[in-house]
Amino acid sequence: MYSPDGSSFAVVLSDYTINVYVTSNWERTWILCGHSYTITGIAYSPNGDRIVSGSRDCTVRVWDVVTGDCLYIFIGHTDWVRAVAYSPQGNVVASRSDDITIRLWDVETGDCRSTLSGYGFIYDMTFSPNGDNIAFSSSDDCRVLVRDVLSGECQSILIGHNSLFTSITYSVQGDLICHDGGGVVGVWEVEAGAYRHVLEFYGTLVLSPKGNQFAMLRGNEIELWDMATGECIRRLSIDGKGFSSVAYSPQGDQIISSGMHDMAVRLWDVESGECRQTMTGHASSVSRVLFSPKGDCFASVSYDRMVRLWNVGSRASRKISNRHNGGVTGLSYSPKRNQIASSSSDSTIRLWDAETGVCSHTLSGHTEAVWKILYSPQEDELVSCSSDMTVRLWDAEDGVCRFIFIGHTGSINDAVFSPQGNQVASASGDMTVRLWNVETGECQHVLTGDAGMWVIKYSPQGNQIASAGGTGTMNLWDVETGACQHTLIAHAGGIRGMEYSPDGNQLASASEDTTVRLWDVKTGMCSPIFIGHQAEVIRVVYSPRGDQFASATRHDRTVRLWDLESGECRHTLVGHKNGICAIAYSPGGNLIASWSDYGEARLFDVKTGDCRWTLNYDKSADLGGSTLSHNFVWMSPEADSFITADLAGSVRAWEVVEEGNRFRIRMRWGLTNSQLVLEETCVQDVQGLSDLNRRLLKQRGATGEPNLRLRDASKKAMSMVSVVSKLKSSSSSATKTLN
């Protein structure tokens, strides 16, 4: 959304934040963070110095665009806030909620002036052009009511329709345009309380700035209608392609539209109906388009999670959202470097400072999705594997690619370092495992199985490697000679996970046949078979002490803890609403974490089986049911911090604080769209901050002042020596919480 004067641009993100940009140079000035659930609507004040936001967390917040501060939190709604709006004078904010009320808030005092209720579910609301009245549609009796903003008295009731009005808006002349969502648009003369026109229509309606016409999306056409006569004056179409959104220029002489299927944005002349420009660049359908207030550029928002800015008269665009443009498929943590590596379906790898969340390197080279990233035992190198049929070895210090291992003829599903770090093993859909020398880059052995290889594991001693795939067969190989020691007809379904015991004597396998089996690696004999899951088992991990192991399934959404000595299931951990893709014991073994592709995390007490903490994101990204993602990593031996990632591209670092029998877990920092969000942080020891980044840190709750500012403008990227985390005694004292 543009500010009224076009000087700033606000974008709502799925991580519950609002990002504000200055349009002169498109530099991000603020990350407005405070809502705890999905933001459903925002609006600029008439002079553009404030933003109001409504959320599913039932609150309304007013933000200062200049300072980035949250000025007010309006509390009173008891259900989702669906929409917010500023009055034309800017002195009143209206909020519409699923609690079937509209609340009018005084912007200067923060008081709730009035609550409009008793009309059933309210579908839409709009202020009159002079701001004296507010109109809204009710579900009770298919009416539109117009009420006085100051007194709350009913000014008009528009009756005469047989179905609900789902959308209403005022024209400049003061007429109400009402759409019932079922094929009828009504134009009302408010003072007379009578219809001027009734039009049959299916689709989206947009009013021109002058109020003399409106555009309708009807099937594969854009229809332009005259407000005075109620006649269709022009139809716009391109080879039968459908449209998803439309917007008028501020002058009303041009229209932009987005294609429903061709991912293109088009600029039309209203007078002639000709298409002047066709802009391409989005990788998915475009959901919304809008002009800047000056009409010299426009923005398009796409399901490819990118906002593009276009100049009128130019087909070139500029991206303002830059990040992992795909889901995070893998995570790895380096304690020595205090560094996080993330791999993504966007073909890149990123290295992050674990303390600050600052991205130090973006590793590019793979041409398709990167499925896994892993640090070497010495933590000086990284290995990655990709759908592009290559394995790459990277320097962890500078991000330079040292070797590209080429030889596989299928997508590579897994890659691991040997315990000594001198060798890399890779497993591919071409039915082979290849062993690579990390010093020379040469392939030492090619191990051939009977099906595509999904997963590989080195034994703790590094003398044996296990491989498995889709047939249920498991092979144990001698690393030195490349000879197959055992071929185990292990399961009746594909094997999704394997894990050696800490002493290396046993190997656990998890299968699509819903079982977990333990194998003696010397004899190849199967000992117990663990039965209990109701769906394919995709993960198995040993506890640090080796006295138990955990298994997880995607489809029955459970984690089971098994006792190795008795073979019994100690606990069945339930509660996930989505399929589980990763599990991990804490370093001390007293906790186990489970994680789903959709951003749902749970932390369980291993001894009691109780759930100590849950986290739910409002995410919907998916990678087609891949079970290869590793999106949860513990960071410290004390089990007081961990990292999570999801298939929407977000990476977050968390801290665990034990309080008696409970845990309190807070986010240390979060990275969504490469936008850093810091929590409860001191900047006293930070060096090399630009003025913008200093203000960003303080706006996000940091305290203190940096002891050195950047002098070289070319070094505007944030570089930190250290960031000291601390709890503020009163981080929210400056925010007024109002009922």
Side-chain angles (χ1 to χ4, degrees), residues 484-717:
C484 183
Q485 297 173 326
H486 298 288
T487 298
L488 310 177
I489 310 301
H491 290 276
I495 297 172
R496 290 290 185 177
M498 296 187 301
E499 189 78 18
Y500 277 93
S501 60
D503 60 13
N505 293 327
Q506 288 183 318
L507 180 69
S509 58
S511 170
E512 292 176 342
D513 67 6
T514 74
T515 69
V516 178
R517 297 175 185 237
L518 291 186
W519 304 87
D520 187 296
V521 299
K522 292 182 180 180
T523 65
M525 299 297 293
C526 178
S527 47
I529 301 176
F530 298 86
I531 300 174
H533 285 296
Q534 303 301 310
E536 64 177 39
V537 188
I538 62 160
R539 289 285 181 267
V540 58
V541 292
Y542 274 90
S543 67
R545 292 187 291 270
D547 60 334
Q548 68 171 218
F549 69 89
S551 57
T553 65
R554 180 179 293 273
H555 296 300
D556 77 5
R557 303 186 295 277
T558 65
V559 177
R560 287 178 177 257
L561 305 184
W562 306 90
D563 186 278
L564 279 173
E565 187 174 346
S566 66
E568 296 179 354
C569 178
R570 289 182 176 179
H571 300 291
T572 300
L573 313 180
V574 299
H576 274 279
K577 297 179 181 178
N578 300 299
I580 299 169
C581 69
I583 53 174
Y585 278 96
S586 63
N590 61 320
L591 300 172
I592 189 167
S594 54
W595 182 254
S596 85
D597 284 343
Y598 295 86
E600 180 189 8
R602 287 179 176 265
L603 198 61
F604 295 93
D605 187 295
V606 169
K607 186 176 181 180
T608 65
D610 295 334
C611 181
R612 296 295 190 89
W613 174 74
T614 61
L615 173 70
N616 293 286
Y617 293 158
D618 187 24
K619 305 291 186 187
S620 59
D622 199 359
L623 281 181
S626 167
T627 59
L628 299 174
S629 52
H630 297 71
N631 295 336
F632 192 107
V633 177
W634 289 96
M635 289 172 58
S636 66
E638 295 78 20
D640 61 0
S641 55
F642 57 88
I643 317 157
T644 63
D646 60 36
L647 295 184
S650 300
V651 180
R652 292 174 169 87
W654 306 85
E655 287 188 346
V656 182
V657 180
E658 190 168 0
E659 297 176 341
N661 294 325
R662 298 187 60 83
F663 291 92
R664 181 173 63 84
I665 300 177
R666 69 177 186 88
M667 187 176 71
R668 180 188 296 173
W669 52 260
L671 287 156
T672 299
N673 307 341
S674 290
Q675 293 152 0
L676 178 62
V677 179
L678 294 173
E679 296 286 353
E680 296 180 341
T681 301
C682 173
V683 299
Q684 196 67 52
D685 297 325
V686 178
Q687 295 186 359
L689 284 178
S690 67
D691 183 64
L692 169 64
N693 284 321
R694 178 182 63 82
R695 290 187 289 119
L696 277 171
L697 277 174
K698 292 195 72 176
Q699 182 264 335
R700 288 297 302 112
T703 61
E705 290 289 335
N707 54 26
L708 182 66
R709 291 190 180 183
L710 276 182
R711 297 175 182 175
D712 185 355
S714 66
K715 298 178 181 177
K716 289 193 70 175

Side-chain angles (χ1 to χ4, degrees), residues 9-186:
F9 187 83
V11 181
V12 174
L13 298 180
S14 58
D15 64 349
Y16 322 146
T17 67
I18 304 165
N19 281 223
V20 182
Y21 297 82
V22 174
T23 57
S24 58
N25 57 11
W26 290 103
E27 187 175 24
R28 186 174 66 246
T29 55
W30 297 118
I31 302 172
L32 308 181
C33 182
H35 284 296
S36 59
Y37 206 7
T38 304
I39 298 172
T40 53
I42 62 172
Y44 273 96
S45 62
N47 61 8
D49 64 344
R50 293 182 179 182
I51 290 175
V52 63
S53 59
S55 168
R56 291 185 180 182
D57 64 11
C58 308
T59 69
V60 177
R61 290 175 178 254
V62 177
W63 310 87
D64 190 305
V65 175
V66 177
T67 66
D69 295 329
C70 179
L71 302 177
Y72 297 109
I73 305 173
F74 298 146
I75 298 175
H77 286 297
T78 58
D79 209 332
W80 294 358
V81 177
R82 287 283 182 179
V84 290
Y86 262 100
S87 66
Q89 294 84 0
N91 60 334
V92 176
V93 162
S95 56
R96 174 173 63 88
S97 170
D98 278 7
D99 63 9
I100 61 176
T101 69
I102 291 176
R103 287 178 176 259
L104 302 180
W105 308 89
D106 188 295
V107 173
E108 295 304 320
T109 66
D111 296 331
C112 180
R113 285 188 173 185
S114 59
T115 301
L116 311 181
S117 60
Y119 305 100
F121 187 84
I122 299 170
Y123 283 92
D124 200 8
M125 66 180 183
T126 182
F127 281 101
S128 62
N130 60 14
D132 293 340
N133 298 322
I134 186 168
F136 56 94
S137 56
S138 165
S139 65
D140 276 357
D141 45 20
C142 306
R143 300 182 298 173
V144 174
L145 294 94
V146 181
R147 302 198 63 158
D148 185 278
V149 171
L150 289 177
S151 66
E153 295 179 357
C154 184
Q155 301 294 306
S156 300
I157 300 177
L158 309 181
I159 306 173
H161 201 58
N162 296 322
S163 59
L164 302 173
F165 288 114
T166 58
S167 174
I168 58 174
T169 185
Y170 272 99
S171 69
V172 177
Q173 295 79 12
D175 292 329
L176 268 175
I177 295 92
C178 309
H179 179 210
D180 70 356
V184 175
V185 172

Side-chain angles (χ1 to χ4, degrees), residues 300-585:
S300 56
V301 183
S302 169
Y303 289 110
D304 65 7
R305 290 175 274 181
M306 197 69 64
V307 178
R308 288 184 179 267
L309 306 174
W310 310 84
N311 291 323
V312 174
S314 171
R315 289 176 172 83
S317 72
R318 175 177 176 179
K319 298 184 243 184
I320 68 169
S321 178
N322 182 25
R323 54 175 163 83
H324 268 319
N325 292 321
V328 177
T329 56
L331 283 176
S332 188
Y333 174 65
S334 166
K336 184 171 71 176
R337 296 179 178 276
N338 201 23
Q339 187 182 71
I340 300 162
S342 61
S343 60
S344 171
S345 60
D346 67 2
S347 78
T348 68
I349 298 154
R350 295 197 176 203
L351 306 183
W352 315 92
D353 186 291
E355 184 69 28
T356 66
V358 175
C359 179
S360 59
H361 294 94
T362 298
L363 314 185
S364 300
H366 284 295
T367 58
E368 295 184 28
V370 183
W371 294 119
K372 188 175 180 182
I373 186 72
L374 187 68
Y375 281 96
S376 66
Q378 294 78 21
E379 303 178 31
D380 57 345
E381 293 177 316
L382 288 153
V383 66
S384 60
C385 62
S386 168
S387 294
D388 65 8
M389 300 183 290
T390 69
V391 178
R392 288 178 179 253
L393 190 69
W394 310 84
D395 189 291
E397 180 67 29
D398 55 20
V400 173
C401 182
R402 291 189 56 214
F403 289 113
I404 304 174
F405 300 142
I406 299 174
H408 284 295
T409 59
S411 176
I412 301 173
N413 300 321
D414 201 2
V416 292
F417 277 101
S418 65
Q420 294 78 22
N422 61 340
Q423 191 179 71
V424 163
S426 57
S428 170
D430 65 5
M431 301 190 297
T432 68
V433 173
R434 288 176 178 259
L435 306 184
W436 309 89
N437 186 301
V438 300
E439 294 299 325
T440 66
E442 296 178 355
C443 180
Q444 296 174 307
H445 296 293
V446 179
L447 316 178
T448 304
D450 62 349
M453 299 296 184
W454 288 353
V455 60
I456 48 177
K457 291 286 182 181
Y458 276 97
S459 66
Q461 295 78 19
N463 61 333
Q464 186 182 74
I465 191 168
S467 65
T471 63
T473 300
M474 190 162 55
N475 293 292
L476 304 183
W477 309 87
D478 184 280
V479 170
E480 183 67 27
T481 65
C484 183
Q485 297 173 326
H486 298 288
T487 298
L488 310 177
I489 310 301
H491 290 276
I495 297 172
R496 290 290 185 177
M498 296 187 301
E499 189 78 18
Y500 277 93
S501 60
D503 60 13
N505 293 327
Q506 288 183 318
L507 180 69
S509 58
S511 170
E512 292 176 342
D513 67 6
T514 74
T515 69
V516 178
R517 297 175 185 237
L518 291 186
W519 304 87
D520 187 296
V521 299
K522 292 182 180 180
T523 65
M525 299 297 293
C526 178
S527 47
I529 301 176
F530 298 86
I531 300 174
H533 285 296
Q534 303 301 310
E536 64 177 39
V537 188
I538 62 160
R539 289 285 181 267
V540 58
V541 292
Y542 274 90
S543 67
R545 292 187 291 270
D547 60 334
Q548 68 171 218
F549 69 89
S551 57
T553 65
R554 180 179 293 273
H555 296 300
D556 77 5
R557 303 186 295 277
T558 65
V559 177
R560 287 178 177 257
L561 305 184
W562 306 90
D563 186 278
L564 279 173
E565 187 174 346
S566 66
E568 296 179 354
C569 178
R570 289 182 176 179
H571 300 291
T572 300
L573 313 180
V574 299
H576 274 279
K577 297 179 181 178
N578 300 299
I580 299 169
C581 69
I583 53 174
Y585 278 96

Side-chain angles (χ1 to χ4, degrees), residues 230-291:
E231 296 178 352
C232 180
I233 56 177
R234 198 160 288 108
R235 288 182 171 87
L236 315 177
S237 64
I238 292 287
D239 297 331
K241 292 182 172 66
F243 298 96
S244 58
S245 66
V246 64
Y248 278 94
S249 66
Q251 298 77 21
D253 60 338
Q254 298 182 99
I255 280 177
I256 48 171
S257 66
S258 59
M260 187 175 295
H261 304 296
D262 63 0
M263 298 172 284
V265 179
R266 292 179 170 85
L267 182 68
W268 306 81
D269 182 83
V270 170
E271 184 65 28
S272 65
E274 295 180 356
C275 180
R276 290 181 173 178
Q277 291 176 241
T278 300
M279 283 71 66
T280 59
H282 282 295
S284 187
S285 299
V286 180
S287 59
R288 189 185 176 195
V289 289
L290 68 159
F291 266 100

